[in-house]
Each structure stands twice: as structure tokens, then as C-alpha cells.
Amino acid sequence: MSGAPGPILEVRDLHTQFSTLDGVVRAVDGVSFDVARGETLGIVGESGCGKSVTAMSILRLIPRETGRIASGSIKFEGEELTSLSEEEMKRLRGHRISMIFQEPMTSLNPVLTVGTQIAENVVRHLGVSWKQGRERAFEMLDLVRIADSRRRLDEYPHQLSGGMRQRVMIAMALSCDPQVLIADEPTTALDVTIQAQILDLMIELKEKTGTAIVLITHDLGVVAETTERVVVMYAGRKVEQAPVEALFEEPLHPYTRGLMRAIPRLDVEADAAGTRPRLQEIPGLVPILTQPIVGCAFAPRCSFATDRCRNERPPLVDAGAGHLVACWEVDRVRRAA
Amino acid sequence: MTAYIVRRLFATLPVMAVVAIFVFFLIRFAPGDPAAIIAGEDATAEAIAQVRMKLGLDRPVLEQFAIWSLQLLQGDLGISIFSNLPVTRLIAQRLEPTLALTLSTLFVAVALAVPIGVVAAWKARKLVDRLVMGFAVLGFAMPVFVLAYILIYFFAVQWRLLPVQGYAPIGEGFWPFVESLILPSVALGVTYMALIARITRASMLEVLAQDYIRTANSKGLATDRVLLLHALKNAAVPIVTVIGIGIALLISGVVITETVFNIPGLGRLTVDAVLKRDYPVVQGLILVFAGAKVLVNLVIDISYAFLDPRIRY
């Protein structure tokens, strides 16, 4: 995968804002990251941290009435996406960059057959006939291991289970062999057993097709199992980035540490009464994004915070071996481990 | 599906029976006496009684009802008290203008309202949308007869582009037929256009906010495919429902339009028959109107299953 030159996707200093009645929401506030060809990058953070908006910004699917990419650069194969015309963008979507969403129950059109919904993507982008498009749809359903795929082509989404619908979404997204697949919480709405199947399927298909995956999730378990590198976002900013092993071995940002302490663990001993220690939540609330944030966005909730944290925005610094963190007090955090 | 249609058709029989009973007694309890009208203004009581006897109106109401019902079951709607012609023939003669006016009005309304509703939803809160919605309010508030006279004044009297009134049967040439229908269709159609455009916009706005539209956009599909296939097909059920209600209202609405534009259709026939208390004709007409509405309802219900695969009967 590393033979090709340069990253497939480069996001630089992205600012995406929404106009609301309460003022301008800075949903994404200066985020940068690269996606290498064929890699799986995780973007983690809690609800409202801007991870989905980042994904929608890459495809330029931010609703135009309320939101806009205020500044920054998104390059796909070296081509600047923010300055493309809408028509050029449409040629890219679903063809070279495609996306799957969190809600398989509502993301498929209820009045069109599964076959039509996959085939229309192929017909649109590869310029083939509807007959060939349908044939491709049939191949794709086989690829995502939907049994009895020939018959399923003529079925409607309501005749399929949630897991099957997400498989259909994956089949649709991969039908034109995209270079990048953005998966926004693809397993959150599914049963745990189905979650594992869908993730395995995505990784397997990635190995087969060489498609890079940007996996957006709030679930650190999913990140640990499937990604190679991780970006941690908080309040519209990137606070940490590291190869997945390094992140789990030594999380450097207090926020990342907080997230990890909030995961239930089986390796912690239960006491005599059979109860385990309470999970630790992160105290406080996510900041209101209509106010400009001075300093570190996490400072009000952080036990390490100093005056400097509250007044000066910490830059991302390399803590070694590609492990980036935006924290003034990283040395203290490290010692506190 | 076939079983459902057959079942629904059978279910219309009791509905029609109730309508028949209701209309028969209602008109007899209404004030006014056809015998007095036929006998003339200066007629004596005996003369009126004689006419009444000739018409069979002196018999007990229940007996009259029994006679009429038996005829009805044989498809016979009776004979007009005034013209002595069979009611079925009177209705058949007047059916073409009304059918033509109803269908052309419907065509004008749907063919314009659905596209402008779609565009308004697509460009929601932009200038086009505000213009469309402003027009909708105006169109909805404008009484049909006012609009009809305005249209006649400009298009027929001032600019002489179209005939003032009257109807040209399709048998007398297609273009005169179309010409005679344009003004009445527009006058009658504007209200429905406003109604259908509003519903289309509202229904489309709701659908355009759905996740599957985001999916369609994430596939880079062309705007017309997203709007006209992915969105409109989902938005269709409420739109079709309103079109159905529109057809039902139209059937009653033609009464006024036919009078204003002097079109010899069922509406005019109804007005004349009611004024003269021509019982068999009124009864026959109301049964035909009721039958038409029941049929429209059935067609609308069946269309749901074609628009939304989740609906099964």
C-alpha cells in the first residue's frame, strides 16, 4: 500500500461553521490530518465533537443553508476539493470517495429496491448500462455475503434486517471501487454480534480492494480492533493523534485518558461483594461552541489545567514516534500515569 | 391485490345504497312541489292534484321508494318529470362536458402544482419559494367565480384570445374543444393548484431532510434523480391523497364553473333539476356523483400500494 506517493487525503486547518440563532457554531475548529493509501484511520470523540461534520465536510455535504467550510484545505489525490464545482464534486462522491452512515434503518430509500439503489451508483459513475449495473449490484451483494443475493436485488429495505441493510450500504459504497471510504459510526446502531461481523467485513474488503477507511466512532473498542492510526477530537479540535498501539499503551491527552477510564474493564478485580469499581466519567460538560474558546478546550474539565491552559491554545507537538498531542502539561500527565 | 379490489368494489354497494335512501327522502322532505311548478303559476288546487296523480307523487312515499329502488336495481334511473326523457340519457348527454372539464382542470392543476411544489421545496426559503407560496395563498383565497370573471374580462373580452363562454364538443374538432376548456380549467384549477403545490412542498421538505436523501447525495446522483425519484416517490402518498380529495371537490365545483362559463354539463343539469324539484334527475345525479367519489377513493387507495412497497393490502 505504501508504494504510491503521498497520502490519498490531506485535511489542513479545516474550519466548518454553522449559523444558528444562538450565533456561529465552530463545529470543526482547525483540524488537520492525513489518510494514507489503504490505511484505516480512526477518528474518535464524544457526540458533538465535530467528527461527523469533518466527514461531511470532506464530501462537501454540509447543508448549504446553514453551514459552510469557512477555511482550510481538503486535498484528495493532490486535488483541492474545497474549490471544485458542485458538478465536479458529484462526480467524486460515491465514485472515488464514498460514505456509509450510522443509521442503516433510515439510510436506504424505502421505496426503491436494493438492486436499484446499488446499480444507480454504478450506472451514474462508471457509465455502464442498467443491466450491467444490476449485475454489479449482484456481485456486490455476494461480496458483502448477503445470502440469496439474486432474490435480494428485487427486495425493498424494509424486508431486510439492520445488519443486512448495513451490508447493503457497504456494497453500495464500494460498488465503484472508491479510494476512500468514510464510515460514520457504521456499527453504533447494530447489535453487538452484528457489529463485529460488519467491522470484520469492512476490514476484509479493505484488504481486498485497497480502499482507505476513515472510521468515525465514539467506541474505543472498535478503534482498538480495526484502525491503524487514531485521531482524537474534542470540541472541534484535534487533541491527540497516534498509531493505535501507542495510543492505548500511553494515552497522552487528559481527555483521551478520561475516555479510556470510561470503558468497562473485565481485568479489574471485583471486590468480595462482587462489585467492580464505578466507571469514571469525565466531570463537567462539553463547551458551548458558539463562544470562541480561548486556550485549551478541555481545560475546564481537566484536573491538570493551569492558567496557561485556560489562556493559551496548546499547539500539537510530537511526543515521539508520530504521537502528536496538544497539551501544555503533557509531562505532568505522563508522570501521573 | 385483485382480491382486495374485488372486496372494495363489493364494499361500495352498501355505501351506494345508503346514498340512494338518503337522497330519495331528503329531496322529498325539502320544500317545493314539482306538480305546482308544472301546473303553472295560476293553476287551481285540482289541476295541481291531477298533475301530482299523473306523476305518481300522490302515492305513499314508501311505495314510491319501492318502485324507484326496483328500477334502480335494473340500472334504470327513472324518467324526468319535466322533459319526460330517461334520466340515464339526460346524464349521458351531459357527461362529456363535465368529464372534459374535470379532467382538464385536474391536468392543469397537477401538471403545474407538483413541479412548482418540488422546486419550492428544493429552493426552500429562497425567492422562488416565497413567490410560489405567495401565489398559493392568493390562489387559495380567490373565489372561483371572481377569478373566472377576471379571466373572461382579459382573455376573452379585452384581448379576444379565447371564447367568452360555451362548450365545443370534442366531436366538432380538437382545437375549439381545447380553447373552450382553457379558461374554465384555469379558473377552477387555481385553487387546487395552490392546495397541491403547498402539500407537495411540505411533503418534499419533510422527505428532503431524511437520511436516505443524504445517502443519495453522498452517491453523487444528479439533482433531478434525487428530487424526482428518491424524494418525490417518498413524498407522493400525501400528494396523491390531496389530489384525490381535489377530484372529489372538483366534481362539486363544476356546478359554479359550468354556470359562469355556460357549459352544458352535469353541473348545470343539477342546478336546473334542483330548482324544478325534478326528483328522478336529482336522485340520479347524486348517485352518479357519489359513485364517482367512491371510485376515486378506490383508485387512490390502490395507488398507495404502487407508490410505497411497505403498504400491502
Side-chain angles (χ1 to χ4, degrees):
Chain A
M1 305 285 157
S2 54
I8 187 93
L9 192 68
E10 300 166 69
V11 176
R12 286 288 168 275
D13 202 26
L14 179 69
H15 289 77
T16 304
Q17 304 180 343
F18 292 89
S19 311
T20 66
L21 291 175
D22 299 324
V24 174
V25 174
R26 293 167 178 77
V28 179
D29 194 20
V31 167
S32 306
F33 60 87
D34 288 347
V35 182
R37 283 162 205 276
E39 88 164 328
T40 307
L41 175 77
I43 300 183
V44 204
E46 62 198 294
S47 308
C49 74
K51 53 195 197 299
S52 292
V53 176
T54 304
M56 300 295 272
S57 300
I58 294 171
L59 275 179
R60 294 227 334 243
L61 286 174
I62 302 291
R64 229 173 304 169
E65 298 81 46
T66 51
R68 66 192 185 101
I69 297 172
S71 65
S73 147
I74 301 164
K75 279 192 176 140
F76 171 73
E77 293 205 303
E79 189 176 19
E80 181 59 51
L81 297 189
T82 53
S83 56
L84 283 188
S85 73
E86 179 59 23
E87 209 42 52
E88 289 168 315
M89 217 36 232
K90 279 184 180 169
R91 293 278 157 203
L92 221 75
R93 288 183 199 130
H95 181 196
R96 300 172 69 196
I97 309 178
S98 58
M99 187 156 177
I100 56 181
F101 300 94
Q102 180 174 353
E103 306 84 6
M105 305 312 275
T106 54
S107 291
L108 289 167
N109 196 316
V111 303
L112 300 175
T113 62
V114 164
T116 303
Q117 294 188 59
I118 301 174
E120 68 179 352
N121 201 35
V122 186
V123 171
R124 162 84 175 161
H125 296 296
L126 304 184
V128 299
S129 70
W130 273 99
K131 195 162 175 281
Q132 290 166 303
R134 242 181 96 80
E135 211 41 47
R136 177 70 178 160
F138 167 63
E139 282 171 32
M140 291 310 296
L141 287 187
D142 259 353
L143 192 67
V144 297
R145 279 190 243 104
I146 286 183
D148 207 0
S149 45
R150 187 63 75 180
R151 185 170 60 83
R152 294 290 183 192
L153 280 180
D154 293 316
E155 290 196 341
Y156 291 92
H158 72 273
Q159 291 165 291
L160 308 177
S161 68
M164 283 221 272
R165 290 188 210 186
Q166 200 61 302
R167 284 169 196 265
V168 170
M169 283 296 293
I170 293 171
M172 202 158 78
L174 295 180
S175 61
C176 295
D177 288 323
Q179 279 92 333
V180 177
L181 171 68
I182 301 172
D184 187 1
E185 305 264 13
T187 58
T188 306
L190 301 172
D191 289 348
V192 179
T193 48
I194 310 292
Q195 278 188 15
Q197 289 175 15
I198 296 289
L199 288 173
D200 288 349
L201 177 69
M202 283 175 56
I203 297 310
E204 184 197 316
L205 293 179
K206 189 206 84 163
E207 307 279 300
K208 228 182 249 178
T209 60
T211 301
I213 297 180
V214 179
L215 183 69
I216 293 167
T217 179
H218 66 273
D219 187 337
L220 285 170
V222 168
V223 168
E225 277 170 46
T226 50
T227 64
E228 292 155 43
R229 276 189 319 133
V230 189
V231 166
V232 181
M233 281 185 70
Y234 183 76
R237 298 172 179 181
K238 178 166 89 173
V239 293
E240 188 165 4
Q241 173 185 316
V244 68
E245 301 82 12
L247 188 83
F248 280 88
E249 205 156 291
E250 193 185 26
L252 290 181
H253 198 282
Y255 174 63
T256 315
R257 296 195 163 203
L259 279 184
M260 292 200 180
R261 274 197 300 273
I263 308 175
R265 294 175 60 155
L266 289 176
D267 56 349
V268 175
E269 291 288 319
D271 63 18
T275 52
R276 294 171 198 279
R278 269 182 67 104
L279 290 176
Q280 286 180 32
E281 76 265 37
I282 302 172
L285 296 170
V286 249
I288 298 159
L289 297 177
T290 45
Q291 320 286 327
I293 297 165
V294 191
C296 172
F298 190 62
R301 302 172 75 181
C302 180
S303 58
F304 296 94
T306 62
D307 278 348
R308 187 191 197 188
C309 296
R310 283 181 277 272
N311 296 317
E312 268 178 77
R313 181 164 171 173
L316 273 169
V317 292
D318 196 334
H323 196 149
L324 305 180
V325 62
C327 178
W328 290 120
E329 298 300 322
V330 65
D331 294 333
R332 266 173 65 214
V333 176
R334 255 188 168 145
R335 283 197 300 275
Chain B
M1 182 64 99
T2 318
Y4 170 76
I5 296 173
V6 171
R7 210 165 60 235
R8 279 291 303 263
L9 284 173
F10 272 107
T12 61
L13 292 177
V15 175
M16 296 305 289
V18 170
V19 171
I21 294 167
F22 198 70
V23 64
F24 184 89
F25 289 101
L26 191 73
I27 190 159
R28 273 165 183 75
F29 291 137
D33 181 353
I37 299 172
I38 290 179
E41 272 184 38
D42 306 323
T44 58
E46 288 96 76
I48 294 176
Q50 214 170 358
V51 173
R52 189 173 293 139
M53 201 166 76
K54 211 179 87 200
L55 296 175
L57 295 174
D58 58 333
R59 301 188 201 184
V61 174
L62 282 179
E63 196 185 321
Q64 290 181 41
F65 181 69
I67 294 169
W68 182 66
S69 311
L70 281 175
Q71 287 177 336
L72 194 61
L73 289 177
Q74 296 160 14
D76 181 1
L77 292 174
I79 295 191
S80 163
I81 294 175
F82 287 83
S83 61
N84 283 322
L85 290 169
V87 174
T88 40
R89 197 203 293 175
L90 283 175
I91 290 177
Q93 281 171 354
R94 304 292 195 98
L95 197 59
E96 187 202 292
T98 300
L99 212 56
L101 181 57
T102 309
L103 291 179
S104 65
T105 304
L106 203 65
F107 176 76
V108 167
V110 175
L112 291 173
V114 172
I116 66 177
V118 169
V119 171
W122 179 39
K123 297 282 179 199
R125 284 171 288 278
K126 301 244 174 68
L127 182 68
V128 186
D129 179 33
R130 287 178 205 280
L131 286 177
V132 167
M133 286 305 104
F135 155 79
V137 171
L138 195 71
F140 204 63
M142 178 90 77
V144 174
F145 65 91
V146 173
L147 181 64
Y149 285 123
I150 294 175
L151 288 174
I152 288 175
Y153 180 76
F154 286 105
F155 286 91
V157 179
Q158 288 288 319
W159 302 330
R160 297 179 185 282
L161 295 171
L162 295 162
V164 175
Q165 48 173 219
Y167 173 75
I170 192 164
E172 292 173 14
F174 186 69
W175 181 238
F177 165 74
V178 170
E179 264 189 337
S180 70
L181 283 175
I182 292 177
L183 289 185
S185 300
V186 172
L188 194 53
V190 163
T191 314
Y192 303 103
M193 218 158 88
L195 182 69
I196 296 167
R198 280 203 83 108
I199 295 290
T200 304
R201 176 183 181 270
S203 188
M204 282 290 287
L205 272 182
E206 197 183 313
V207 167
L208 287 175
Q210 300 294 316
D211 288 340
Y212 52 79
I213 298 299
R214 184 182 61 186
T215 305
N217 284 324
S218 81
K219 292 198 283 186
L221 299 178
T223 308
D224 54 353
R225 190 170 174 91
V226 175
L227 282 178
L228 299 180
L229 182 69
H230 283 256
L232 190 57
K233 199 174 176 206
N234 277 285
V237 165
I239 299 172
V240 168
T241 306
V242 166
I243 292 175
I245 296 169
I247 298 174
L249 293 171
L250 259 178
I251 295 173
S252 341
V254 292
V255 173
I256 297 174
T257 320
E258 286 179 4
T259 309
V260 173
F261 286 97
N262 196 21
I263 293 172
L266 292 179
R268 287 272 303 289
L269 185 64
T270 310
V271 174
D272 293 345
V274 169
L275 290 177
K276 290 184 189 158
R277 302 288 184 274
D278 195 340
Y279 295 163
V281 177
V282 175
Q283 286 159 194
L285 280 168
I286 294 192
L287 277 180
V288 167
F289 286 150
K293 291 192 184 191
V294 167
L295 204 66
V296 167
N297 257 322
L298 180 61
V299 171
I300 298 291
D301 277 349
I302 292 168
S303 77
Y304 292 160
F306 286 98
L307 294 169
D308 190 338
R310 287 166 298 183
I311 297 174
R312 280 284 162 262
Y313 299 114

